[in-house]
């Protein structure tokens, strides 16, 4: 009997699946695009492995949901029980296939247990990104302990993985690990995407860099707790699984994983990163302002101390600096004088705003700025009118450990969502508001997928009825940054750290998945409120200019030199945002580990900008050349040093870029690179290039 085979592919990559004897399909090839001449039946036959001593007589395939019923000895793709707690071990057989817009839907069933499993597989042509999703239907009520998104094997020649961890103010930390026998399991039970568990993984090998080598990149687009399994079987095969966290058990008849996004790159980490960036920017995020407005947030200027006269003064100064959006942060509602009260009481505080928000909004609008406002809808304080009326609305036990003096509302309840919708909608209807900063400042007491689904439903309802209001996802900074939330928002707050050095590293690593247009980056106070560090305005301003630029300090603290520097960088950003906010972000390989460098490239290749930061003192005296990437080797480029006037006095020589622009070939820029002037640590060079 011939195997059933399918091929999903484009000019960059191919994914070939085969189903043997009607069993669940397996990925038998994933890698560079096949030339179209291969016989898929032959590839299916060639994928079968040998057996030898100590093995069963047929190796269980690493199917899209590896089955215990097929003697699969690794982590099964499905773990379910009946209502009496008995473990069910289904054996699925082919039922149906359907062509979809960008791929196919494969349906398999187990009539004995009354189960159907459906795999939706698609490939977005413009971004060359696979979107893979699993759905399980049951004729009886069952309990699902684990449902993996479609499971994908990775080649033996890769051998390494890059995983993500982190903490508050240090998101997107990366670690490079070797595969080894057994399973590497990351089980995030915080109930949100989380600082420490960004749901991404990159499989590569020792030769893979930002610009060279192979990479298989994964992201689970889910804003709740998730679980990742990277397993090497005893026979040497390897596979990757993503699904909801193991604590988020569900009972019912219908279940669905979130989407697993995946792509292959033969051009290093950047090749995969750019596909994720393009998909998020061009396909996923909708309703974002264009051009992206310069953002001002008042949090680190006033915290809870709201005085209309002070806020008006701050808004006027922010507008003079170039801000185009003013966001009123925490402290405008209830009796909110600190973080111990009023969450849930979404009524304007008549002590601070006796005439409502209108006088402040009118002032902001008169300055030509859009007005935005902060909410933390999913949370509640015990010292609130809402808690006193509805203490039964909280998620988890009443004696649970508090987080930031607050509890969590049960978003699975329709009455909770209706209350929140009505309160937020009332504020939006009665005030000229174009933007919401949506915060989430604690982990959940329990992990339940229904909580995340409830948040999605509330956001979807607000987006449908207020389509012109942008929403930013913030969760103590970057604890809810994922493609699930980006389907419903237009911006993410990457970190609560406005320390420019910390931001450089965080932004650099987040670019493995996120485009600049959705990534907020702000110029903070002179003394950073989270690190205590004092950094020069030049570094602070240019760091913010690498992403969706904003300010988050009291602008009245700035001296004349700082004001001039910030205005220069802001004017540069405004003059270039029409293309930088659509640019591909290439992380550059630096031979100097003290340098963090990236190249933002226009989609048509006509221009680029390079940001090169010396984060600490180099081990050598002279700067190593900065090598670029992705340029036409035969084309000529004009390159200028945008901030050459910032060279320090100890830069006593005459490197050419310090004196004038140069014209060189793409091959020279990629192979040799550019020699930059000497500079102090904690400073940045900005290079601009145009194709001639």
């Amino acid at each position: 009997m011939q195997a059933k085979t399918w091929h999903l592919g484009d000019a960059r990559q191919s994914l070939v699946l085969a189903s043997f004897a009607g069993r669940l399909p397996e990925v038998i090839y994933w890698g560079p695009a096949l030339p179209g001449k291969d016989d898929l039946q032959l590839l299916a036959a060639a994928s079968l492995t040998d057996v030898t001593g100590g093995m069963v007589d047929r190796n269980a395939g690493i199917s899209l949901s590896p089955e215990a019923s097929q003697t699969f000895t690794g982590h099964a793709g499905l773990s379910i029980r009946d209502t009496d707690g008995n473990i069910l071990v289904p054996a699925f057989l082919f039922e149906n296939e359907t062509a979809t817009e960008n791929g196919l839907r494969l349906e398999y069933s187990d009539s004995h247990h009354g189960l159907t499993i459906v795999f939706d597989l698609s490939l977005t042509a413009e971004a060359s990104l696979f979107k893979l999703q699993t759905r399980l239907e049951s004729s009886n009520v069952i309990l699902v302990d684990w449902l993996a998104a479609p499971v994908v094997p990775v080649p033996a020649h890769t051998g390494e993985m890059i995983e993500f961890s982190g903490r508050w103010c240090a998101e997107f930390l990366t670690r490079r690990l070797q595969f080894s026998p057994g399973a590497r399991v990351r089980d995030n039970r915080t109930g949100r995407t989380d600082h420490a568990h960004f749901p991404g993984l990159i499989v590569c090998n020792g030769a893979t860099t930002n610009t060279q080598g192979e990479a298989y990149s994964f992201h689970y687009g889910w804003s709740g707790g998730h679980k990742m399994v990277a397993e090497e079987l005893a026979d040497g095969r390897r596979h990757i699984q993503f699904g909801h966290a193991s604590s988020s058990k569900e009972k019912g008849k219908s279940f669905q994983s979130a989407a697993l996004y995946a792509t292959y790159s033969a051009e290093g980490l950047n090749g995969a990163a750019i596909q994720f960036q393009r998909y998020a920017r061009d396909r996923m995020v909708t309703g974002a302002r264009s051009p992206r407005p310069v953002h001002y947030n008042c949090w680190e200027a006033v915290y809870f101390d709201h005085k209309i006269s002070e806020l008006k003064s701050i808004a006027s100064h922010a507008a003079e600096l170039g801000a185009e959006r003013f966001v009123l942060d925490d402290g405008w509602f209830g009796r909110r004088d600190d973080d111990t009260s009023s969450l849930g009481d979404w009524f304007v505080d008549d002590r601070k705003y006796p005439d409502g928000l209108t006088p402040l909004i009118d002032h902001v609008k008169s300055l030509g700025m859009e007005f935005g406002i902060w909410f933390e809808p999913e949370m509640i304080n015990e010292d609130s009118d809402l808690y006193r009326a509805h203490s039964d609305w909280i998620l988890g036990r009443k004696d649970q450990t508090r987080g930031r003096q607050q509890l969590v509302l049960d978003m699975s309840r329709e009455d909770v969502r209706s209350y929140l919708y009505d309160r937020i909608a009332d504020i939006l209807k009665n005030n000229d508001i174009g933007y919401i900063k949506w915060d989430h400042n604690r982990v959940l007491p329990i992990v339940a997928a229904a909580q995340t689904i409830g948040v999605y439903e509330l956001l979807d309802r607000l987006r449908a009825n207020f389509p012109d209001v942008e929403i930013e996802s913030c969760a103590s900074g970057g604890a809810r940054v994922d493609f699930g939330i980006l389907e419903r928002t237009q911006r993410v707050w990457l970190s609560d750290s406005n320390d420019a050095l910390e931001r450089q590293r965080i932004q650099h690593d987040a670019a493995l998945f996120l485009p600049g247009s959705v990534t907020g980056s702000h110029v903070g106070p002179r003394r950073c409120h989270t690190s205590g560090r004092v950094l020069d305005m030049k570094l602070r301003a240019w760091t913010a200019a690498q992403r969706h630029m904003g300010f988050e300090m009291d602008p009245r603290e700035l001296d004349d030199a700082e004001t001039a520097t910030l205005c220069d960088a802001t004017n540069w950003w405004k003059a270039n945002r029409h293309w930088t906010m659509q640019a591909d972000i290439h992380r550059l390989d630096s031979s100097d580990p003290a340098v963090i460098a990236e190249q933002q490239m226009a989609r048509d290749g006509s221009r680029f900008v390079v940001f090169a930061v010396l984060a600490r003192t180099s081990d050598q005296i002279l700067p190593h050349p900065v090598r670029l990437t992705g340029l036409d080797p035969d084309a000529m480029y004009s390159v200028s040093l945008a901030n050459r006037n910032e060279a320090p006095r100890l830069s006593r020589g005459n490197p050419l870029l310090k004196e004038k622009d140069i014209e060189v070939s793409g091959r020279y820029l990629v192979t040799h690179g550019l020699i930059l002037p000497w500079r102090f640590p904690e400073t940045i060079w900005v290079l601009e290039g145009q194709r001639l």
Side-chain angles (χ1 to χ4, degrees):
M1 177 180 177
Q2 283 194 321
K4 286 184 173 293
T5 58
W6 302 271
H7 175 237
L8 290 174
D10 58 16
R12 295 186 73 256
Q13 60 183 323
S14 288
L15 185 80
V16 180
L17 301 103
S19 172
F20 300 95
R23 293 190 296 271
L24 291 183
E26 308 168 25
V27 174
I28 60 170
Y29 176 87
W30 182 26
L34 294 174
K37 301 176 182 179
D38 288 291
D39 181 339
L40 297 188
Q41 287 294 323
L42 179 63
L43 296 185
S47 73
L48 297 175
T49 56
D50 204 353
V51 294
T52 184
M55 302 179 70
V56 294
D57 293 341
R58 180 181 61 82
N59 292 317
I62 300 178
S63 70
L64 297 183
S65 183
E67 297 173 285
S69 63
Q70 300 301 314
T71 321
F72 184 75
T73 57
H75 197 289
L78 181 63
S79 177
I80 57 177
R81 292 176 283 154
D82 63 22
T83 53
D84 294 325
N86 299 308
I87 295 173
L88 304 179
V89 185
F92 292 102
L93 291 173
F94 178 79
E95 189 73 29
N96 193 29
E97 66 176 277
T98 307
T100 58
E101 181 181 359
N102 295 311
L104 69 153
R105 176 173 297 133
L106 301 177
E107 183 178 320
Y108 288 72
S109 64
D110 177 339
S111 58
H112 176 71
H113 291 101
L115 297 169
T116 299
I117 193 166
V118 180
F119 305 105
D120 281 298
L121 316 170
S122 63
L123 175 62
T124 305
E126 308 94 286
S128 192
L129 198 69
F130 287 106
K131 182 179 181 181
L132 314 172
Q133 201 157 10
T134 304
R135 187 172 79 252
L136 181 68
E137 305 287 345
S138 174
S139 58
N140 304 304
V141 175
I142 58 173
L143 183 68
V144 171
D145 295 312
W146 173 246
L147 174 65
V151 177
V152 182
V154 290
H157 69 263
T158 50
E160 293 185 1
M161 67 183 93
I162 299 172
E163 65 170 22
F164 296 83
S165 58
R167 58 170 173 79
W168 178 69
C169 287
E171 293 85 345
F172 286 93
L173 290 171
T174 60
R175 294 204 305 163
R176 199 156 180 156
L177 305 174
Q178 295 284 330
F179 270 93
S180 59
R184 172 67 176 170
V185 178
R186 297 290 300 270
D187 202 359
N188 166 26
R189 296 186 293 276
T190 66
R192 59 183 183 177
T193 318
D194 199 51
H195 302 94
H197 299 279
F198 175 74
L201 184 74
I202 302 171
V203 176
C204 57
N205 57 47
T208 303
T209 68
N210 288 318
T211 59
Q212 300 180 72
E214 289 189 301
Y216 296 80
S217 191
F218 301 86
H219 170 59
Y220 191 58
W222 175 244
S223 306
H226 70 275
K227 178 179 172 182
M228 178 203 82
V229 180
E231 185 171 34
E232 180 177 307
L233 302 174
D235 59 28
R237 293 179 295 166
R238 298 168 179 151
H239 64 98
I240 306 300
Q241 298 189 21
F242 275 94
H244 293 0
S246 59
S247 299
S248 53
K249 298 177 175 65
E250 298 180 81
K251 183 182 290 187
K253 292 185 176 182
S254 182
F255 312 86
Q256 185 166 282
S257 76
L260 177 63
Y261 298 91
T263 193
Y264 165 79
S265 167
E267 301 157 343
L269 303 180
N270 286 340
I274 288 166
Q275 305 315 313
F276 278 99
Q277 293 169 24
R278 290 180 177 178
Y279 184 87
R281 181 184 61 238
D282 303 336
R283 297 276 301 189
M284 176 174 285
V285 175
T286 58
R289 300 281 186 276
S290 182
R292 305 300 281 142
V294 177
H295 200 93
Y296 177 79
N297 184 289
C298 71
W299 175 242
E300 295 194 28
V302 300
Y303 292 105
F304 299 103
D305 187 17
H306 289 210
K307 296 181 177 67
I308 293 180
S309 60
E310 293 290 293
L311 289 166
K312 286 182 176 180
S313 173
I314 289 170
S316 296
H317 280 78
E320 290 172 1
L321 292 170
E324 298 162 312
R325 171 187 286 154
F326 179 94
V327 179
L328 185 67
D329 212 285
D330 194 354
W332 59 268
F333 57 93
R335 292 295 183 264
R336 183 76 163 174
D337 296 326
D338 55 34
D339 64 3
T340 66
S341 74
S342 299
L343 285 176
D345 297 344
W346 301 109
F347 300 87
V348 177
D349 186 343
D350 55 12
R351 301 170 306 157
K352 300 175 182 178
Y353 300 93
D355 298 312
L357 296 173
T358 300
L360 179 58
I361 293 175
D362 286 348
H363 180 73
V364 167
K365 300 288 287 187
S366 74
L367 297 168
M369 292 192 290
E370 179 181 71
F371 187 84
I373 197 165
W374 181 95
F375 287 95
E376 192 173 5
E378 298 146 78
M379 303 298 162
I380 185 171
N381 288 122
E382 289 162 278
D383 182 10
S384 67
D385 292 340
L386 181 64
Y387 184 83
R388 286 182 279 273
H390 291 289
S391 61
D392 57 314
W393 281 5
I394 68 165
L395 182 69
R397 299 164 55 98
K398 287 191 176 182
D399 62 351
Q400 66 185 262
T401 301
R402 274 56 175 164
R404 201 179 183 243
Q405 317 294 328
Q406 62 198 49
L407 297 165
V408 185
L409 289 168
D410 185 349
M411 298 298 293
S412 71
R413 296 179 58 135
E414 194 279 332
D415 51 359
V416 170
R417 297 195 302 274
S418 292
Y419 167 81
L420 292 172
Y421 174 84
D422 290 343
R423 293 309 319 135
I424 297 170
D426 181 74
I427 296 294
L428 296 179
K429 287 174 183 175
N430 292 301
N431 298 278
D432 189 355
I433 293 172
Y435 187 86
I436 292 174
K437 178 182 177 182
W438 186 296
D439 217 334
H440 184 291
N441 277 307
R442 62 155 290 177
V443 300
L444 303 190
I446 60 175
V447 183
Q451 182 77 4
T452 303
I453 293 169
V455 174
Y456 285 170
E457 289 180 0
L458 177 58
L459 284 167
D460 290 343
R461 186 180 178 190
L462 286 165
R463 283 289 309 278
N465 293 328
F466 299 94
D468 295 328
V469 176
E470 276 199 37
I471 301 175
E472 173 186 67
S473 173
C474 174
S476 298
R480 190 155 63 187
V481 175
D482 59 80
F483 277 21
I485 206 71
L486 275 173
E487 285 185 307
R488 297 161 172 89
T489 58
Q490 290 82 19
R491 191 181 198 253
V492 293
W493 184 229
L494 201 56
S495 177
D496 276 346
S497 175
N498 277 325
D499 182 304
L501 281 181
E502 297 284 354
R503 276 272 168 172
Q504 280 292 329
R505 202 274 312 152
I506 296 168
Q507 291 176 177
H508 190 69
D509 291 332
L512 289 166
F513 296 93
L514 298 178
S517 58
V518 305
T519 306
S521 187
H522 296 174
V523 180
R526 185 179 296 124
R527 179 176 292 277
C528 178
H529 290 191
T530 56
S531 71
R533 194 154 31 200
V534 177
L535 295 169
D536 190 273
M537 175 57 80
K538 299 180 184 70
L539 177 62
R540 290 152 59 200
W542 284 115
T543 297
Q546 291 177 238
R547 298 296 184 267
H548 183 191
M549 188 176 192
F551 320 139
E552 192 162 346
M553 88 293 274
D554 188 336
R556 298 171 300 182
E557 79 172 19
L558 303 179
D559 60 29
D560 290 345
E562 289 172 322
T563 298
T565 297
L566 181 53
C567 286
D568 285 347
T570 303
N571 290 335
W572 179 92
W573 189 82
K574 285 183 175 180
N576 289 278
R577 62 184 165 184
H578 66 283
W579 72 270
T580 58
M581 291 295 94
Q582 301 298 316
D584 297 327
I585 302 171
H586 298 254
R587 294 166 17 128
L588 295 180
D589 292 321
S590 175
S591 56
D592 183 349
V595 172
I596 300 173
E598 73 176 31
Q599 176 182 327
Q600 297 183 10
M601 178 92 78
R603 287 287 295 270
D604 62 3
S606 63
R607 60 196 306 178
F608 62 82
V609 59
V610 172
F611 300 91
V613 173
L614 185 62
R616 60 171 176 81
T617 304
S618 293
D619 294 336
Q620 74 287 337
I621 293 178
L622 294 178
H624 289 177
V626 175
R627 297 199 302 166
L628 309 192
T629 189
L631 303 178
D632 182 344
D634 298 321
M636 296 296 291
Y637 294 84
S638 172
V639 183
S640 63
L641 191 57
N643 58 337
R644 60 168 56 103
N645 62 331
E646 296 175 9
R649 285 188 301 169
L650 281 178
S651 172
R652 298 184 298 160
N654 296 297
L656 195 57
L657 273 170
K658 197 165 110 177
E659 305 297 328
K660 65 177 185 178
D661 299 350
I662 62 173
E663 294 182 6
V664 289
S665 69
R667 190 177 304 280
Y668 177 87
L669 292 170
V670 170
T671 305
H672 181 274
L674 293 166
I675 295 176
L676 299 176
W678 184 93
R679 53 357 201 318
F680 291 119
E682 302 180 359
T683 60
I684 185 169
W685 286 126
V686 182
L687 291 154
E688 294 182 274
Q690 289 202 343
R691 181 172 177 166
L692 300 174

